[in-house]
Amino acid sequence: MPVTIKVDVKEKIIHTKPLTQDDFAAFGTVIQNPAPALMPSPAIKNLPPNTVQANQGTALKYLDVTNMKNFYGSAPSQRVANAVMNMFVCSPRSLLPSHDSNIGGLFPVTILERHPFTTQTFIPLGISPSEHEDVCYLVVVAPSLTPSSMDETLPVPVLSPQTSTSYSDEDKLPGRGLPDLDRIQAFLANGSQAVTYGAGTWHAPMVVVGKKPIDFVVVQFANGVGIEDCQEAELENTGKDICVVVPKLSKNATWRL
């Protein structure tokens, strides 16, 4: 059952920025080829950091590009979680029209979700970076507020040396708290980028914009207990929309309401 949040902020317009690791670091990890111009070859002498040669010199292996985390050891149900891999086929979202002819439209944010006990990685398939003017996706995230009575029924990890192999992980978890609607951020990602949401990070369900769907392989842990696997916060409709500005893509590349 989603928690309903009354939107007591003024109408809010959020401008997107390119998805980069530096800007996204507080929310998770951006996964992409750090040196796309570097072709694998046994002749390479100076490798990029955290890189080794593989497959008889025909491949470059970039190590630990993201960290998968499983905090279900501290979940109230104590039900064991398994690593799961699902596929989401995401159609382009309809956008609200804008009076500004320089933008493609507005995406209204009506719901945010989080996975308190696991990271979640979205890996797009079959989309070239060169198609960014035809199709892309939005990454919409928000930090957590301080705990309140409204979220006291939503379980979150409480780590101890017995429930985590890395006790310092606790410092990286948002903990309790509903999404901070005043500090929502939106990023624009292309087909060469995958994204990992940190455990407990509030984010919008996947938002594809453009003229065709994107297939995502989604990797996370799950134990089948609904409130431990996914928690949702619906934004109450008060006539004050929180909207993300979607840049104008190529001609006829954006669906609208």
PDB file of all heavy atoms in Angstrom, residues 88-93 124-128 131 134-137 191 206-216 253 255:
ATOM      1  N   PHE A  88      12.520  -5.388 -18.136  1.00  0.00           N
ATOM      2  CA  PHE A  88      11.458  -4.399 -18.254  1.00  0.00           C
ATOM      3  C   PHE A  88      11.485  -3.859 -19.683  1.00  0.00           C
ATOM      4  O   PHE A  88      12.516  -3.344 -20.130  1.00  0.00           O
ATOM      5  CB  PHE A  88      11.682  -3.232 -17.290  1.00  0.00           C
ATOM      6  CG  PHE A  88      11.343  -3.512 -15.852  1.00  0.00           C
ATOM      7  CD1 PHE A  88      12.036  -4.477 -15.125  1.00  0.00           C
ATOM      8  CD2 PHE A  88      10.340  -2.799 -15.216  1.00  0.00           C
ATOM      9  CE1 PHE A  88      11.735  -4.727 -13.798  1.00  0.00           C
ATOM     10  CE2 PHE A  88      10.032  -3.040 -13.887  1.00  0.00           C
ATOM     11  CZ  PHE A  88      10.723  -4.009 -13.175  1.00  0.00           C
ATOM     12  N   VAL A  89      10.384  -3.981 -20.398  1.00  0.00           N
ATOM     13  CA  VAL A  89      10.250  -3.369 -21.718  1.00  0.00           C
ATOM     14  C   VAL A  89       9.444  -2.087 -21.510  1.00  0.00           C
ATOM     15  O   VAL A  89       8.245  -2.135 -21.235  1.00  0.00           O
ATOM     16  CB  VAL A  89       9.553  -4.309 -22.712  1.00  0.00           C
ATOM     17  CG1 VAL A  89       9.419  -3.635 -24.078  1.00  0.00           C
ATOM     18  CG2 VAL A  89      10.329  -5.620 -22.834  1.00  0.00           C
ATOM     19  N   CYS A  90      10.111  -0.948 -21.608  1.00  0.00           N
ATOM     20  CA  CYS A  90       9.523   0.332 -21.202  1.00  0.00           C
ATOM     21  C   CYS A  90       9.166   1.181 -22.421  1.00  0.00           C
ATOM     22  O   CYS A  90      10.048   1.589 -23.187  1.00  0.00           O
ATOM     23  CB  CYS A  90      10.500   1.095 -20.311  1.00  0.00           C
ATOM     24  SG  CYS A  90      10.940   0.206 -18.795  1.00  0.00           S
ATOM     25  N   SER A  91       7.879   1.434 -22.592  1.00  0.00           N
ATOM     26  CA  SER A  91       7.422   2.288 -23.687  1.00  0.00           C
ATOM     27  C   SER A  91       7.698   3.752 -23.366  1.00  0.00           C
ATOM     28  O   SER A  91       7.768   4.135 -22.195  1.00  0.00           O
ATOM     29  CB  SER A  91       5.921   2.101 -23.914  1.00  0.00           C
ATOM     30  OG  SER A  91       5.636   0.804 -24.381  1.00  0.00           O
ATOM     31  N   PRO A  92       7.819   4.578 -24.395  1.00  0.00           N
ATOM     32  CA  PRO A  92       7.979   6.019 -24.146  1.00  0.00           C
ATOM     33  C   PRO A  92       6.784   6.578 -23.385  1.00  0.00           C
ATOM     34  O   PRO A  92       5.639   6.205 -23.645  1.00  0.00           O
ATOM     35  CB  PRO A  92       8.072   6.616 -25.553  1.00  0.00           C
ATOM     36  CG  PRO A  92       8.509   5.483 -26.422  1.00  0.00           C
ATOM     37  CD  PRO A  92       7.891   4.256 -25.829  1.00  0.00           C
ATOM     38  N   ARG A  93       7.053   7.464 -22.443  1.00  0.00           N
ATOM     39  CA  ARG A  93       5.987   8.094 -21.667  1.00  0.00           C
ATOM     40  C   ARG A  93       5.362   9.241 -22.460  1.00  0.00           C
ATOM     41  O   ARG A  93       6.041   9.951 -23.208  1.00  0.00           O
ATOM     42  CB  ARG A  93       6.544   8.646 -20.353  1.00  0.00           C
ATOM     43  CG  ARG A  93       7.127   7.610 -19.415  1.00  0.00           C
ATOM     44  CD  ARG A  93       6.082   6.644 -18.882  1.00  0.00           C
ATOM     45  NE  ARG A  93       6.643   5.834 -17.811  1.00  0.00           N
ATOM     46  CZ  ARG A  93       6.373   6.018 -16.515  1.00  0.00           C
ATOM     47  NH1 ARG A  93       5.533   6.969 -16.144  1.00  0.00           N
ATOM     48  NH2 ARG A  93       6.937   5.248 -15.603  1.00  0.00           N
ATOM     49  N   PRO A 124      20.248  -0.851 -20.157  1.00  0.00           N
ATOM     50  CA  PRO A 124      19.510  -0.779 -21.427  1.00  0.00           C
ATOM     51  C   PRO A 124      20.146  -1.676 -22.485  1.00  0.00           C
ATOM     52  O   PRO A 124      21.365  -1.845 -22.530  1.00  0.00           O
ATOM     53  CB  PRO A 124      19.614   0.698 -21.813  1.00  0.00           C
ATOM     54  CG  PRO A 124      20.884   1.164 -21.164  1.00  0.00           C
ATOM     55  CD  PRO A 124      21.023   0.367 -19.894  1.00  0.00           C
ATOM     56  N   LEU A 125      19.304  -2.243 -23.334  1.00  0.00           N
ATOM     57  CA  LEU A 125      19.771  -3.132 -24.395  1.00  0.00           C
ATOM     58  C   LEU A 125      19.449  -2.536 -25.768  1.00  0.00           C
ATOM     59  O   LEU A 125      18.381  -1.962 -25.972  1.00  0.00           O
ATOM     60  CB  LEU A 125      19.094  -4.504 -24.291  1.00  0.00           C
ATOM     61  CG  LEU A 125      19.287  -5.300 -23.000  1.00  0.00           C
ATOM     62  CD1 LEU A 125      18.507  -6.609 -23.084  1.00  0.00           C
ATOM     63  CD2 LEU A 125      20.757  -5.579 -22.740  1.00  0.00           C
ATOM     64  N   GLY A 126      20.377  -2.694 -26.695  1.00  0.00           N
ATOM     65  CA  GLY A 126      20.101  -2.408 -28.097  1.00  0.00           C
ATOM     66  C   GLY A 126      19.914  -0.949 -28.458  1.00  0.00           C
ATOM     67  O   GLY A 126      19.342  -0.641 -29.502  1.00  0.00           O
ATOM     68  N   ILE A 127      20.393  -0.030 -27.615  1.00  0.00           N
ATOM     69  CA  ILE A 127      20.267   1.393 -27.910  1.00  0.00           C
ATOM     70  C   ILE A 127      21.658   1.988 -28.053  1.00  0.00           C
ATOM     71  O   ILE A 127      22.467   1.928 -27.127  1.00  0.00           O
ATOM     72  CB  ILE A 127      19.497   2.139 -26.803  1.00  0.00           C
ATOM     73  CG1 ILE A 127      18.094   1.557 -26.635  1.00  0.00           C
ATOM     74  CG2 ILE A 127      19.418   3.628 -27.108  1.00  0.00           C
ATOM     75  CD1 ILE A 127      17.194   1.753 -27.833  1.00  0.00           C
ATOM     76  N   SER A 128      21.933   2.562 -29.202  1.00  0.00           N
ATOM     77  CA  SER A 128      23.236   3.178 -29.451  1.00  0.00           C
ATOM     78  C   SER A 128      23.271   4.589 -28.876  1.00  0.00           C
ATOM     79  O   SER A 128      22.254   5.294 -28.880  1.00  0.00           O
ATOM     80  CB  SER A 128      23.503   3.231 -30.955  1.00  0.00           C
ATOM     81  OG  SER A 128      24.581   4.090 -31.245  1.00  0.00           O
ATOM     82  N   GLU A 131      21.760   7.332 -30.882  1.00  0.00           N
ATOM     83  CA  GLU A 131      20.305   7.465 -30.978  1.00  0.00           C
ATOM     84  C   GLU A 131      19.735   8.415 -29.929  1.00  0.00           C
ATOM     85  O   GLU A 131      18.518   8.454 -29.719  1.00  0.00           O
ATOM     86  CB  GLU A 131      19.641   6.093 -30.830  1.00  0.00           C
ATOM     87  CG  GLU A 131      19.948   5.111 -31.947  1.00  0.00           C
ATOM     88  CD  GLU A 131      19.226   3.787 -31.754  1.00  0.00           C
ATOM     89  OE1 GLU A 131      18.053   3.687 -32.150  1.00  0.00           O
ATOM     90  OE2 GLU A 131      19.840   2.861 -31.186  1.00  0.00           O
ATOM     91  N   ASP A 134      16.744  10.353 -30.661  1.00  0.00           N
ATOM     92  CA  ASP A 134      15.520   9.612 -30.952  1.00  0.00           C
ATOM     93  C   ASP A 134      14.903   8.989 -29.703  1.00  0.00           C
ATOM     94  O   ASP A 134      13.684   8.905 -29.582  1.00  0.00           O
ATOM     95  CB  ASP A 134      15.798   8.502 -31.965  1.00  0.00           C
ATOM     96  CG  ASP A 134      16.182   9.041 -33.331  1.00  0.00           C
ATOM     97  OD1 ASP A 134      15.653  10.099 -33.715  1.00  0.00           O
ATOM     98  OD2 ASP A 134      17.017   8.411 -34.000  1.00  0.00           O
ATOM     99  N   VAL A 135      15.738   8.535 -28.779  1.00  0.00           N
ATOM    100  CA  VAL A 135      15.230   7.891 -27.572  1.00  0.00           C
ATOM    101  C   VAL A 135      16.278   7.996 -26.468  1.00  0.00           C
ATOM    102  O   VAL A 135      17.483   7.916 -26.723  1.00  0.00           O
ATOM    103  CB  VAL A 135      14.871   6.406 -27.845  1.00  0.00           C
ATOM    104  CG1 VAL A 135      16.099   5.602 -28.245  1.00  0.00           C
ATOM    105  CG2 VAL A 135      14.169   5.777 -26.659  1.00  0.00           C
ATOM    106  N   CYS A 136      15.809   8.215 -25.258  1.00  0.00           N
ATOM    107  CA  CYS A 136      16.688   8.279 -24.092  1.00  0.00           C
ATOM    108  C   CYS A 136      15.831   7.968 -22.871  1.00  0.00           C
ATOM    109  O   CYS A 136      14.655   7.630 -22.994  1.00  0.00           O
ATOM    110  CB  CYS A 136      17.363   9.648 -23.977  1.00  0.00           C
ATOM    111  SG  CYS A 136      16.212  11.033 -23.931  1.00  0.00           S
ATOM    112  N   TYR A 137      16.408   8.062 -21.692  1.00  0.00           N
ATOM    113  CA  TYR A 137      15.594   7.831 -20.503  1.00  0.00           C
ATOM    114  C   TYR A 137      15.978   8.793 -19.392  1.00  0.00           C
ATOM    115  O   TYR A 137      17.083   9.334 -19.362  1.00  0.00           O
ATOM    116  CB  TYR A 137      15.659   6.372 -20.044  1.00  0.00           C
ATOM    117  CG  TYR A 137      16.986   5.847 -19.537  1.00  0.00           C
ATOM    118  CD1 TYR A 137      17.261   5.792 -18.171  1.00  0.00           C
ATOM    119  CD2 TYR A 137      17.952   5.344 -20.409  1.00  0.00           C
ATOM    120  CE1 TYR A 137      18.457   5.270 -17.693  1.00  0.00           C
ATOM    121  CE2 TYR A 137      19.149   4.821 -19.939  1.00  0.00           C
ATOM    122  CZ  TYR A 137      19.395   4.784 -18.577  1.00  0.00           C
ATOM    123  OH  TYR A 137      20.581   4.263 -18.105  1.00  0.00           O
ATOM    124  N   GLY A 191      21.766   5.509 -24.371  1.00  0.00           N
ATOM    125  CA  GLY A 191      21.826   4.056 -24.456  1.00  0.00           C
ATOM    126  C   GLY A 191      23.148   3.438 -24.075  1.00  0.00           C
ATOM    127  O   GLY A 191      23.232   2.212 -23.924  1.00  0.00           O
ATOM    128  N   MET A 206      10.956   3.742 -14.123  1.00  0.00           N
ATOM    129  CA  MET A 206      11.698   4.072 -15.342  1.00  0.00           C
ATOM    130  C   MET A 206      10.868   4.929 -16.296  1.00  0.00           C
ATOM    131  O   MET A 206       9.700   4.651 -16.550  1.00  0.00           O
ATOM    132  CB  MET A 206      12.155   2.791 -16.040  1.00  0.00           C
ATOM    133  CG  MET A 206      12.993   3.044 -17.286  1.00  0.00           C
ATOM    134  SD  MET A 206      14.368   4.200 -17.053  1.00  0.00           S
ATOM    135  CE  MET A 206      15.399   3.282 -15.917  1.00  0.00           C
ATOM    136  N   VAL A 207      11.511   5.970 -16.815  1.00  0.00           N
ATOM    137  CA  VAL A 207      10.855   6.920 -17.714  1.00  0.00           C
ATOM    138  C   VAL A 207      11.635   6.966 -19.024  1.00  0.00           C
ATOM    139  O   VAL A 207      12.732   7.525 -19.091  1.00  0.00           O
ATOM    140  CB  VAL A 207      10.792   8.332 -17.098  1.00  0.00           C
ATOM    141  CG1 VAL A 207      10.094   9.302 -18.066  1.00  0.00           C
ATOM    142  CG2 VAL A 207      10.080   8.305 -15.751  1.00  0.00           C
ATOM    143  N   VAL A 208      11.076   6.371 -20.066  1.00  0.00           N
ATOM    144  CA  VAL A 208      11.661   6.436 -21.406  1.00  0.00           C
ATOM    145  C   VAL A 208      10.977   7.553 -22.174  1.00  0.00           C
ATOM    146  O   VAL A 208       9.750   7.712 -22.098  1.00  0.00           O
ATOM    147  CB  VAL A 208      11.490   5.091 -22.149  1.00  0.00           C
ATOM    148  CG1 VAL A 208      11.883   5.220 -23.619  1.00  0.00           C
ATOM    149  CG2 VAL A 208      12.322   4.005 -21.469  1.00  0.00           C
ATOM    150  N   VAL A 209      11.746   8.346 -22.896  1.00  0.00           N
ATOM    151  CA  VAL A 209      11.179   9.388 -23.755  1.00  0.00           C
ATOM    152  C   VAL A 209      11.755   9.220 -25.155  1.00  0.00           C
ATOM    153  O   VAL A 209      12.905   8.827 -25.326  1.00  0.00           O
ATOM    154  CB  VAL A 209      11.459  10.808 -23.215  1.00  0.00           C
ATOM    155  CG1 VAL A 209      10.709  11.052 -21.928  1.00  0.00           C
ATOM    156  CG2 VAL A 209      12.944  11.044 -23.005  1.00  0.00           C
ATOM    157  N   GLY A 210      10.931   9.496 -26.151  1.00  0.00           N
ATOM    158  CA  GLY A 210      11.379   9.339 -27.529  1.00  0.00           C
ATOM    159  C   GLY A 210      10.358   8.608 -28.359  1.00  0.00           C
ATOM    160  O   GLY A 210       9.157   8.672 -28.098  1.00  0.00           O
ATOM    161  N   LYS A 211      10.832   7.870 -29.362  1.00  0.00           N
ATOM    162  CA  LYS A 211       9.895   7.278 -30.317  1.00  0.00           C
ATOM    163  C   LYS A 211       9.888   5.758 -30.333  1.00  0.00           C
ATOM    164  O   LYS A 211       9.252   5.159 -31.195  1.00  0.00           O
ATOM    165  CB  LYS A 211      10.188   7.811 -31.720  1.00  0.00           C
ATOM    166  CG  LYS A 211      11.553   7.455 -32.283  1.00  0.00           C
ATOM    167  CD  LYS A 211      11.719   8.081 -33.665  1.00  0.00           C
ATOM    168  CE  LYS A 211      13.052   7.711 -34.297  1.00  0.00           C
ATOM    169  NZ  LYS A 211      13.233   8.346 -35.617  1.00  0.00           N
ATOM    170  N   LYS A 212      10.590   5.108 -29.389  1.00  0.00           N
ATOM    171  CA  LYS A 212      10.515   3.652 -29.335  1.00  0.00           C
ATOM    172  C   LYS A 212      10.815   3.175 -27.921  1.00  0.00           C
ATOM    173  O   LYS A 212      11.427   3.901 -27.128  1.00  0.00           O
ATOM    174  CB  LYS A 212      11.480   3.017 -30.334  1.00  0.00           C
ATOM    175  CG  LYS A 212      12.958   3.206 -30.024  1.00  0.00           C
ATOM    176  CD  LYS A 212      13.806   2.465 -31.066  1.00  0.00           C
ATOM    177  CE  LYS A 212      15.290   2.537 -30.748  1.00  0.00           C
ATOM    178  NZ  LYS A 212      16.099   1.786 -31.741  1.00  0.00           N
ATOM    179  N   PRO A 213      10.376   1.961 -27.580  1.00  0.00           N
ATOM    180  CA  PRO A 213      10.644   1.436 -26.241  1.00  0.00           C
ATOM    181  C   PRO A 213      12.130   1.131 -26.045  1.00  0.00           C
ATOM    182  O   PRO A 213      12.900   1.029 -27.002  1.00  0.00           O
ATOM    183  CB  PRO A 213       9.814   0.144 -26.197  1.00  0.00           C
ATOM    184  CG  PRO A 213       8.828   0.265 -27.309  1.00  0.00           C
ATOM    185  CD  PRO A 213       9.501   1.078 -28.365  1.00  0.00           C
ATOM    186  N   ILE A 214      12.506   0.988 -24.784  1.00  0.00           N
ATOM    187  CA  ILE A 214      13.839   0.503 -24.423  1.00  0.00           C
ATOM    188  C   ILE A 214      13.660  -0.745 -23.565  1.00  0.00           C
ATOM    189  O   ILE A 214      12.837  -0.767 -22.643  1.00  0.00           O
ATOM    190  CB  ILE A 214      14.654   1.550 -23.640  1.00  0.00           C
ATOM    191  CG1 ILE A 214      14.884   2.809 -24.480  1.00  0.00           C
ATOM    192  CG2 ILE A 214      16.003   0.967 -23.216  1.00  0.00           C
ATOM    193  CD1 ILE A 214      15.695   3.891 -23.761  1.00  0.00           C
ATOM    194  N   ASP A 215      14.420  -1.786 -23.890  1.00  0.00           N
ATOM    195  CA  ASP A 215      14.456  -2.997 -23.074  1.00  0.00           C
ATOM    196  C   ASP A 215      15.550  -2.834 -22.022  1.00  0.00           C
ATOM    197  O   ASP A 215      16.693  -2.506 -22.360  1.00  0.00           O
ATOM    198  CB  ASP A 215      14.767  -4.226 -23.927  1.00  0.00           C
ATOM    199  CG  ASP A 215      13.767  -4.441 -25.052  1.00  0.00           C
ATOM    200  OD1 ASP A 215      12.639  -3.919 -24.943  1.00  0.00           O
ATOM    201  OD2 ASP A 215      14.116  -5.127 -26.031  1.00  0.00           O
ATOM    202  N   PHE A 216      15.199  -3.068 -20.760  1.00  0.00           N
ATOM    203  CA  PHE A 216      16.168  -2.997 -19.673  1.00  0.00           C
ATOM    204  C   PHE A 216      16.274  -4.356 -18.993  1.00  0.00           C
ATOM    205  O   PHE A 216      15.252  -4.972 -18.660  1.00  0.00           O
ATOM    206  CB  PHE A 216      15.742  -1.982 -18.604  1.00  0.00           C
ATOM    207  CG  PHE A 216      15.775  -0.544 -19.034  1.00  0.00           C
ATOM    208  CD1 PHE A 216      14.661   0.052 -19.593  1.00  0.00           C
ATOM    209  CD2 PHE A 216      16.919   0.221 -18.855  1.00  0.00           C
ATOM    210  CE1 PHE A 216      14.676   1.387 -19.970  1.00  0.00           C
ATOM    211  CE2 PHE A 216      16.951   1.554 -19.232  1.00  0.00           C
ATOM    212  CZ  PHE A 216      15.827   2.140 -19.794  1.00  0.00           C
ATOM    213  N   ALA A 253       9.992  12.839 -32.358  1.00  0.00           N
ATOM    214  CA  ALA A 253      10.562  11.800 -31.506  1.00  0.00           C
ATOM    215  C   ALA A 253       9.930  11.753 -30.129  1.00  0.00           C
ATOM    216  O   ALA A 253      10.288  10.912 -29.337  1.00  0.00           O
ATOM    217  CB  ALA A 253      12.069  12.009 -31.360  1.00  0.00           C
ATOM    218  N   TRP A 255       6.458  11.544 -27.675  1.00  0.00           N
ATOM    219  CA  TRP A 255       5.025  11.297 -27.541  1.00  0.00           C
ATOM    220  C   TRP A 255       4.438  12.311 -26.570  1.00  0.00           C
ATOM    221  O   TRP A 255       5.055  12.677 -25.584  1.00  0.00           O
ATOM    222  CB  TRP A 255       4.774   9.890 -26.998  1.00  0.00           C
ATOM    223  CG  TRP A 255       5.164   8.803 -27.930  1.00  0.00           C
ATOM    224  CD1 TRP A 255       5.835   8.922 -29.116  1.00  0.00           C
ATOM    225  CD2 TRP A 255       4.925   7.410 -27.750  1.00  0.00           C
ATOM    226  NE1 TRP A 255       6.027   7.698 -29.682  1.00  0.00           N
ATOM    227  CE2 TRP A 255       5.483   6.746 -28.867  1.00  0.00           C
ATOM    228  CE3 TRP A 255       4.302   6.649 -26.765  1.00  0.00           C
ATOM    229  CZ2 TRP A 255       5.433   5.370 -29.012  1.00  0.00           C
ATOM    230  CZ3 TRP A 255       4.250   5.285 -26.909  1.00  0.00           C
ATOM    231  CH2 TRP A 255       4.803   4.655 -28.026  1.00  0.00           C
TER     232      TRP A 255
END
